[in-house]
mmCIF file of all heavy atoms in Angstrom:
data_model
loop_
_atom_site.group_PDB
_atom_site.id
_atom_site.type_symbol
_atom_site.label_atom_id
_atom_site.label_comp_id
_atom_site.label_asym_id
_atom_site.label_seq_id
_atom_site.Cartn_x
_atom_site.Cartn_y
_atom_site.Cartn_z
ATOM 1 N N ALA A 1 13.535 -50.243 10.482
ATOM 2 C CA ALA A 1 12.401 -51.152 10.414
ATOM 3 C C ALA A 1 11.213 -50.427 9.833
ATOM 4 O O ALA A 1 11.072 -49.213 9.993
ATOM 5 C CB ALA A 1 12.051 -51.717 11.795
ATOM 6 N N SER A 2 10.354 -51.155 9.170
ATOM 7 C CA SER A 2 9.119 -50.595 8.652
ATOM 8 C C SER A 2 8.022 -51.631 8.774
ATOM 9 O O SER A 2 8.282 -52.831 8.874
ATOM 10 C CB SER A 2 9.266 -50.127 7.198
ATOM 11 O OG SER A 2 9.485 -51.221 6.333
ATOM 12 N N ILE A 3 6.796 -51.151 8.736
ATOM 13 C CA ILE A 3 5.661 -52.049 8.873
ATOM 14 C C ILE A 3 4.476 -51.467 8.122
ATOM 15 O O ILE A 3 4.231 -50.263 8.146
ATOM 16 C CB ILE A 3 5.323 -52.294 10.364
ATOM 17 C CG1 ILE A 3 4.262 -53.374 10.520
ATOM 18 C CG2 ILE A 3 4.916 -50.999 11.056
ATOM 19 C CD1 ILE A 3 4.100 -53.862 11.955
ATOM 20 N N THR A 4 3.757 -52.325 7.434
ATOM 21 C CA THR A 4 2.529 -51.919 6.781
ATOM 22 C C THR A 4 1.376 -52.039 7.756
ATOM 23 O O THR A 4 1.481 -52.651 8.824
ATOM 24 C CB THR A 4 2.243 -52.775 5.547
ATOM 25 O OG1 THR A 4 1.892 -54.107 5.956
ATOM 26 C CG2 THR A 4 3.449 -52.825 4.618
ATOM 27 N N THR A 5 0.247 -51.465 7.377
ATOM 28 C CA THR A 5 -0.933 -51.569 8.226
ATOM 29 C C THR A 5 -1.472 -52.986 8.276
ATOM 30 O O THR A 5 -2.305 -53.296 9.132
ATOM 31 C CB THR A 5 -2.025 -50.604 7.755
ATOM 32 O OG1 THR A 5 -2.295 -50.810 6.367
ATOM 33 C CG2 THR A 5 -1.588 -49.159 7.971
ATOM 34 N N ASP A 6 -1.021 -53.831 7.368
ATOM 35 C CA ASP A 6 -1.356 -55.248 7.411
ATOM 36 C C ASP A 6 -0.419 -56.040 8.315
ATOM 37 O O ASP A 6 -0.598 -57.244 8.485
ATOM 38 C CB ASP A 6 -1.336 -55.853 6.007
ATOM 39 C CG ASP A 6 -2.454 -55.344 5.132
ATOM 40 O OD1 ASP A 6 -3.532 -55.032 5.669
ATOM 41 O OD2 ASP A 6 -2.252 -55.262 3.902
ATOM 42 N N GLY A 7 0.575 -55.377 8.856
ATOM 43 C CA GLY A 7 1.483 -56.030 9.773
ATOM 44 C C GLY A 7 2.708 -56.650 9.138
ATOM 45 O O GLY A 7 3.423 -57.411 9.805
ATOM 46 N N GLU A 8 2.980 -56.350 7.882
ATOM 47 C CA GLU A 8 4.172 -56.862 7.219
ATOM 48 C C GLU A 8 5.358 -56.008 7.604
ATOM 49 O O GLU A 8 5.421 -54.830 7.253
ATOM 50 C CB GLU A 8 3.974 -56.867 5.705
ATOM 51 C CG GLU A 8 2.822 -57.728 5.242
ATOM 52 C CD GLU A 8 2.586 -57.644 3.748
ATOM 53 O OE1 GLU A 8 3.335 -56.930 3.062
ATOM 54 O OE2 GLU A 8 1.648 -58.292 3.264
ATOM 55 N N ALA A 9 6.294 -56.605 8.298
ATOM 56 C CA ALA A 9 7.430 -55.875 8.833
ATOM 57 C C ALA A 9 8.720 -56.298 8.159
ATOM 58 O O ALA A 9 8.897 -57.466 7.794
ATOM 59 C CB ALA A 9 7.541 -56.093 10.335
ATOM 60 N N VAL A 10 9.609 -55.350 7.992
ATOM 61 C CA VAL A 10 10.953 -55.613 7.511
ATOM 62 C C VAL A 10 11.933 -54.941 8.454
ATOM 63 O O VAL A 10 11.628 -53.912 9.052
ATOM 64 C CB VAL A 10 11.179 -55.133 6.063
ATOM 65 C CG1 VAL A 10 10.282 -55.893 5.100
ATOM 66 C CG2 VAL A 10 10.945 -53.638 5.943
ATOM 67 N N TYR A 11 13.109 -55.538 8.567
ATOM 68 C CA TYR A 11 14.114 -55.046 9.486
ATOM 69 C C TYR A 11 15.469 -54.979 8.823
ATOM 70 O O TYR A 11 15.812 -55.824 7.981
ATOM 71 C CB TYR A 11 14.237 -55.953 10.713
ATOM 72 C CG TYR A 11 13.012 -56.030 11.576
ATOM 73 C CD1 TYR A 11 12.050 -57.005 11.374
ATOM 74 C CD2 TYR A 11 12.824 -55.122 12.612
ATOM 75 C CE1 TYR A 11 10.926 -57.080 12.179
ATOM 76 C CE2 TYR A 11 11.708 -55.189 13.423
ATOM 77 C CZ TYR A 11 10.761 -56.169 13.203
ATOM 78 O OH TYR A 11 9.647 -56.239 14.011
ATOM 79 N N GLU A 12 16.230 -53.994 9.207
ATOM 80 C CA GLU A 12 17.636 -53.988 8.886
ATOM 81 C C GLU A 12 18.289 -55.180 9.574
ATOM 82 O O GLU A 12 17.927 -55.537 10.697
ATOM 83 C CB GLU A 12 18.273 -52.679 9.354
ATOM 84 C CG GLU A 12 19.737 -52.532 9.028
ATOM 85 C CD GLU A 12 20.350 -51.305 9.669
ATOM 86 O OE1 GLU A 12 19.833 -50.860 10.714
ATOM 87 O OE2 GLU A 12 21.345 -50.803 9.137
ATOM 88 N N ASP A 13 19.243 -55.796 8.908
ATOM 89 C CA ASP A 13 19.863 -56.992 9.459
ATOM 90 C C ASP A 13 20.454 -56.757 10.842
ATOM 91 O O ASP A 13 20.407 -57.639 11.708
ATOM 92 C CB ASP A 13 20.953 -57.507 8.515
ATOM 93 C CG ASP A 13 20.391 -58.186 7.287
ATOM 94 O OD1 ASP A 13 19.197 -58.551 7.296
ATOM 95 O OD2 ASP A 13 21.148 -58.362 6.313
ATOM 96 N N SER A 14 21.003 -55.589 11.058
ATOM 97 C CA SER A 14 21.689 -55.326 12.314
ATOM 98 C C SER A 14 20.745 -55.218 13.504
ATOM 99 O O SER A 14 21.190 -55.311 14.652
ATOM 100 C CB SER A 14 22.528 -54.053 12.205
ATOM 101 O OG SER A 14 21.714 -52.916 11.987
ATOM 102 N N VAL A 15 19.462 -55.007 13.262
ATOM 103 C CA VAL A 15 18.509 -54.892 14.356
ATOM 104 C C VAL A 15 17.604 -56.104 14.461
ATOM 105 O O VAL A 15 16.867 -56.237 15.452
ATOM 106 C CB VAL A 15 17.652 -53.614 14.240
ATOM 107 C CG1 VAL A 15 18.528 -52.396 14.011
ATOM 108 C CG2 VAL A 15 16.598 -53.743 13.143
ATOM 109 N N LYS A 16 17.643 -56.969 13.485
ATOM 110 C CA LYS A 16 16.774 -58.137 13.480
ATOM 111 C C LYS A 16 17.052 -59.008 14.702
ATOM 112 O O LYS A 16 18.196 -59.317 15.014
ATOM 113 C CB LYS A 16 16.964 -58.933 12.190
ATOM 114 C CG LYS A 16 15.948 -60.044 11.983
ATOM 115 C CD LYS A 16 16.115 -60.698 10.613
ATOM 116 C CE LYS A 16 15.831 -59.723 9.492
ATOM 117 N NZ LYS A 16 15.902 -60.387 8.155
ATOM 118 N N GLY A 17 15.993 -59.397 15.368
ATOM 119 C CA GLY A 17 16.114 -60.188 16.581
ATOM 120 C C GLY A 17 16.238 -59.363 17.836
ATOM 121 O O GLY A 17 16.106 -59.902 18.943
ATOM 122 N N ARG A 18 16.505 -58.082 17.701
ATOM 123 C CA ARG A 18 16.630 -57.192 18.842
ATOM 124 C C ARG A 18 15.517 -56.150 18.892
ATOM 125 O O ARG A 18 15.050 -55.799 19.973
ATOM 126 C CB ARG A 18 17.981 -56.479 18.833
ATOM 127 C CG ARG A 18 19.172 -57.422 18.886
ATOM 128 C CD ARG A 18 20.482 -56.659 19.056
ATOM 129 N NE ARG A 18 20.750 -55.771 17.932
ATOM 130 C CZ ARG A 18 20.822 -54.442 18.027
ATOM 131 N NH1 ARG A 18 20.661 -53.847 19.197
ATOM 132 N NH2 ARG A 18 21.079 -53.713 16.949
ATOM 133 N N PHE A 19 15.121 -55.669 17.732
ATOM 134 C CA PHE A 19 14.074 -54.657 17.649
ATOM 135 C C PHE A 19 12.792 -55.289 17.141
ATOM 136 O O PHE A 19 12.810 -56.216 16.318
ATOM 137 C CB PHE A 19 14.458 -53.528 16.692
ATOM 138 C CG PHE A 19 15.617 -52.670 17.131
ATOM 139 C CD1 PHE A 19 16.353 -52.954 18.271
ATOM 140 C CD2 PHE A 19 15.964 -51.559 16.383
ATOM 141 C CE1 PHE A 19 17.412 -52.164 18.669
ATOM 142 C CE2 PHE A 19 17.021 -50.753 16.765
ATOM 143 C CZ PHE A 19 17.749 -51.050 17.902
ATOM 144 N N THR A 20 11.682 -54.776 17.605
ATOM 145 C CA THR A 20 10.383 -55.209 17.138
ATOM 146 C C THR A 20 9.542 -53.985 16.817
ATOM 147 O O THR A 20 9.376 -53.107 17.662
ATOM 148 C CB THR A 20 9.654 -56.072 18.179
ATOM 149 O OG1 THR A 20 10.446 -57.221 18.504
ATOM 150 C CG2 THR A 20 8.310 -56.540 17.629
ATOM 151 N N ILE A 21 9.027 -53.941 15.603
ATOM 152 C CA ILE A 21 8.167 -52.849 15.193
ATOM 153 C C ILE A 21 6.724 -53.331 15.218
ATOM 154 O O ILE A 21 6.427 -54.469 14.869
ATOM 155 C CB ILE A 21 8.562 -52.310 13.802
ATOM 156 C CG1 ILE A 21 7.824 -51.007 13.490
ATOM 157 C CG2 ILE A 21 8.356 -53.348 12.713
ATOM 158 C CD1 ILE A 21 8.365 -50.282 12.267
ATOM 159 N N SER A 22 5.841 -52.471 15.647
ATOM 160 C CA SER A 22 4.429 -52.802 15.693
ATOM 161 C C SER A 22 3.618 -51.570 15.337
ATOM 162 O O SER A 22 4.098 -50.439 15.456
ATOM 163 C CB SER A 22 4.023 -53.333 17.071
ATOM 164 O OG SER A 22 4.258 -52.373 18.082
ATOM 165 N N ILE A 23 2.391 -51.798 14.906
ATOM 166 C CA ILE A 23 1.545 -50.697 14.491
ATOM 167 C C ILE A 23 0.164 -50.858 15.093
ATOM 168 O O ILE A 23 -0.364 -51.966 15.193
ATOM 169 C CB ILE A 23 1.480 -50.592 12.944
ATOM 170 C CG1 ILE A 23 0.795 -49.299 12.507
ATOM 171 C CG2 ILE A 23 0.803 -51.815 12.334
ATOM 172 C CD1 ILE A 23 0.990 -48.992 11.031
ATOM 173 N N ASP A 24 -0.389 -49.759 15.520
ATOM 174 C CA ASP A 24 -1.755 -49.688 16.012
ATOM 175 C C ASP A 24 -2.540 -48.889 14.980
ATOM 176 O O ASP A 24 -2.386 -47.671 14.884
ATOM 177 C CB ASP A 24 -1.805 -49.026 17.385
ATOM 178 C CG ASP A 24 -3.192 -49.029 18.001
ATOM 179 O OD1 ASP A 24 -4.193 -49.021 17.264
ATOM 180 O OD2 ASP A 24 -3.273 -49.041 19.247
ATOM 181 N N ASN A 25 -3.369 -49.571 14.217
ATOM 182 C CA ASN A 25 -4.080 -48.916 13.127
ATOM 183 C C ASN A 25 -5.190 -47.989 13.612
ATOM 184 O O ASN A 25 -5.607 -47.088 12.885
ATOM 185 C CB ASN A 25 -4.655 -49.966 12.177
ATOM 186 C CG ASN A 25 -3.595 -50.721 11.422
ATOM 187 O OD1 ASN A 25 -2.599 -50.144 10.991
ATOM 188 N ND2 ASN A 25 -3.804 -52.022 11.244
ATOM 189 N N VAL A 26 -5.667 -48.213 14.825
ATOM 190 C CA VAL A 26 -6.702 -47.344 15.374
ATOM 191 C C VAL A 26 -6.106 -46.011 15.789
ATOM 192 O O VAL A 26 -6.661 -44.947 15.518
ATOM 193 C CB VAL A 26 -7.416 -48.020 16.548
ATOM 194 C CG1 VAL A 26 -8.421 -47.066 17.183
ATOM 195 C CG2 VAL A 26 -8.106 -49.288 16.088
ATOM 196 N N LYS A 27 -4.972 -46.070 16.450
ATOM 197 C CA LYS A 27 -4.311 -44.865 16.931
ATOM 198 C C LYS A 27 -3.355 -44.262 15.917
ATOM 199 O O LYS A 27 -2.807 -43.182 16.167
ATOM 200 C CB LYS A 27 -3.550 -45.168 18.218
ATOM 201 C CG LYS A 27 -4.427 -45.644 19.362
ATOM 202 C CD LYS A 27 -3.593 -45.952 20.595
ATOM 203 C CE LYS A 27 -4.454 -46.423 21.751
ATOM 204 N NZ LYS A 27 -3.646 -46.755 22.948
ATOM 205 N N ASN A 28 -3.147 -44.944 14.786
ATOM 206 C CA ASN A 28 -2.149 -44.514 13.803
ATOM 207 C C ASN A 28 -0.802 -44.292 14.471
ATOM 208 O O ASN A 28 -0.149 -43.266 14.284
ATOM 209 C CB ASN A 28 -2.603 -43.266 13.055
ATOM 210 C CG ASN A 28 -3.690 -43.555 12.049
ATOM 211 O OD1 ASN A 28 -3.761 -44.644 11.479
ATOM 212 N ND2 ASN A 28 -4.551 -42.574 11.808
ATOM 213 N N THR A 29 -0.417 -45.271 15.240
ATOM 214 C CA THR A 29 0.810 -45.197 16.005
ATOM 215 C C THR A 29 1.679 -46.397 15.699
ATOM 216 O O THR A 29 1.195 -47.531 15.652
ATOM 217 C CB THR A 29 0.516 -45.146 17.509
ATOM 218 O OG1 THR A 29 -0.213 -43.954 17.815
ATOM 219 C CG2 THR A 29 1.797 -45.162 18.319
ATOM 220 N N VAL A 30 2.937 -46.146 15.492
ATOM 221 C CA VAL A 30 3.911 -47.205 15.305
ATOM 222 C C VAL A 30 4.904 -47.146 16.451
ATOM 223 O O VAL A 30 5.283 -46.060 16.906
ATOM 224 C CB VAL A 30 4.621 -47.093 13.935
ATOM 225 C CG1 VAL A 30 5.475 -45.836 13.850
ATOM 226 C CG2 VAL A 30 5.456 -48.332 13.655
ATOM 227 N N SER A 31 5.293 -48.308 16.927
ATOM 228 C CA SER A 31 6.240 -48.398 18.026
ATOM 229 C C SER A 31 7.444 -49.204 17.598
ATOM 230 O O SER A 31 7.348 -50.094 16.747
ATOM 231 C CB SER A 31 5.597 -49.043 19.253
ATOM 232 O OG SER A 31 4.520 -48.272 19.737
ATOM 233 N N LEU A 32 8.559 -48.892 18.188
ATOM 234 C CA LEU A 32 9.780 -49.651 17.981
ATOM 235 C C LEU A 32 10.317 -50.047 19.339
ATOM 236 O O LEU A 32 10.812 -49.197 20.084
ATOM 237 C CB LEU A 32 10.814 -48.841 17.204
ATOM 238 C CG LEU A 32 12.074 -49.601 16.798
ATOM 239 C CD1 LEU A 32 11.749 -50.662 15.748
ATOM 240 C CD2 LEU A 32 13.145 -48.650 16.275
ATOM 241 N N GLN A 33 10.175 -51.311 19.661
ATOM 242 C CA GLN A 33 10.723 -51.843 20.894
ATOM 243 C C GLN A 33 12.165 -52.245 20.638
ATOM 244 O O GLN A 33 12.434 -53.126 19.825
ATOM 245 C CB GLN A 33 9.907 -53.037 21.379
ATOM 246 C CG GLN A 33 10.433 -53.678 22.661
ATOM 247 C CD GLN A 33 10.369 -52.756 23.853
ATOM 248 O OE1 GLN A 33 9.362 -52.083 24.065
ATOM 249 N NE2 GLN A 33 11.450 -52.700 24.628
ATOM 250 N N MET A 34 13.070 -51.595 21.314
ATOM 251 C CA MET A 34 14.491 -51.805 21.128
ATOM 252 C C MET A 34 15.029 -52.544 22.342
ATOM 253 O O MET A 34 15.081 -51.995 23.440
ATOM 254 C CB MET A 34 15.219 -50.472 20.948
ATOM 255 C CG MET A 34 14.642 -49.614 19.827
ATOM 256 S SD MET A 34 15.245 -47.901 19.850
ATOM 257 C CE MET A 34 17.011 -48.146 19.677
ATOM 258 N N ASN A 35 15.432 -53.774 22.135
ATOM 259 C CA ASN A 35 15.996 -54.589 23.199
ATOM 260 C C ASN A 35 17.458 -54.878 22.917
ATOM 261 O O ASN A 35 17.897 -54.888 21.766
ATOM 262 C CB ASN A 35 15.225 -55.904 23.340
ATOM 263 C CG ASN A 35 13.807 -55.718 23.800
ATOM 264 O OD1 ASN A 35 13.494 -54.779 24.529
ATOM 265 N ND2 ASN A 35 12.924 -56.625 23.384
ATOM 266 N N ASN A 36 18.189 -55.145 23.991
ATOM 267 C CA ASN A 36 19.613 -55.458 23.862
ATOM 268 C C ASN A 36 20.321 -54.444 22.981
ATOM 269 O O ASN A 36 21.024 -54.793 22.035
ATOM 270 C CB ASN A 36 19.793 -56.878 23.322
ATOM 271 C CG ASN A 36 21.218 -57.375 23.420
ATOM 272 O OD1 ASN A 36 21.994 -56.915 24.262
ATOM 273 N ND2 ASN A 36 21.588 -58.311 22.550
ATOM 274 N N VAL A 37 20.146 -53.194 23.307
ATOM 275 C CA VAL A 37 20.703 -52.140 22.467
ATOM 276 C C VAL A 37 22.225 -52.134 22.557
ATOM 277 O O VAL A 37 22.821 -52.550 23.556
ATOM 278 C CB VAL A 37 20.126 -50.765 22.836
ATOM 279 C CG1 VAL A 37 18.631 -50.743 22.548
ATOM 280 C CG2 VAL A 37 20.402 -50.415 24.293
ATOM 281 N N LYS A 38 22.834 -51.666 21.490
ATOM 282 C CA LYS A 38 24.274 -51.602 21.360
ATOM 283 C C LYS A 38 24.697 -50.162 21.100
ATOM 284 O O LYS A 38 23.895 -49.356 20.624
ATOM 285 C CB LYS A 38 24.740 -52.493 20.205
ATOM 286 C CG LYS A 38 24.332 -53.951 20.330
ATOM 287 C CD LYS A 38 24.743 -54.744 19.102
ATOM 288 C CE LYS A 38 24.342 -56.194 19.222
ATOM 289 N NZ LYS A 38 24.743 -56.978 18.022
#
C-alpha cells in the first residue's frame, strides 16, 4: 500500500479491504492497519 500526503491511497489487490494505510502529515508518520490477516 502507498499513500500521498494528499491522502491518495493505492493497495495491492490481495490486501484491499483488509489493510488501511493512513498518513499523518504533521508527524510524518504513515500507518498500516492490518485486519483479518492471513
Side-chain angles (χ1 to χ4, degrees):
S2 66
I3 188 168
T4 70
T5 53
D6 291 329
E8 300 176 1
V10 296
Y11 296 92
E12 182 187 26
D13 285 343
S14 64
V15 310
K16 189 174 296 184
R18 300 187 298 116
F19 293 5
T20 302
I21 190 169
S22 60
I23 190 167
D24 185 331
N25 292 320
V26 176
K27 299 179 180 179
N28 286 329
T29 297
V30 66
S31 298
L32 187 68
Q33 179 64 44
M34 306 167 59
N35 294 330
N36 192 25
V37 296
K38 303 176 180 180

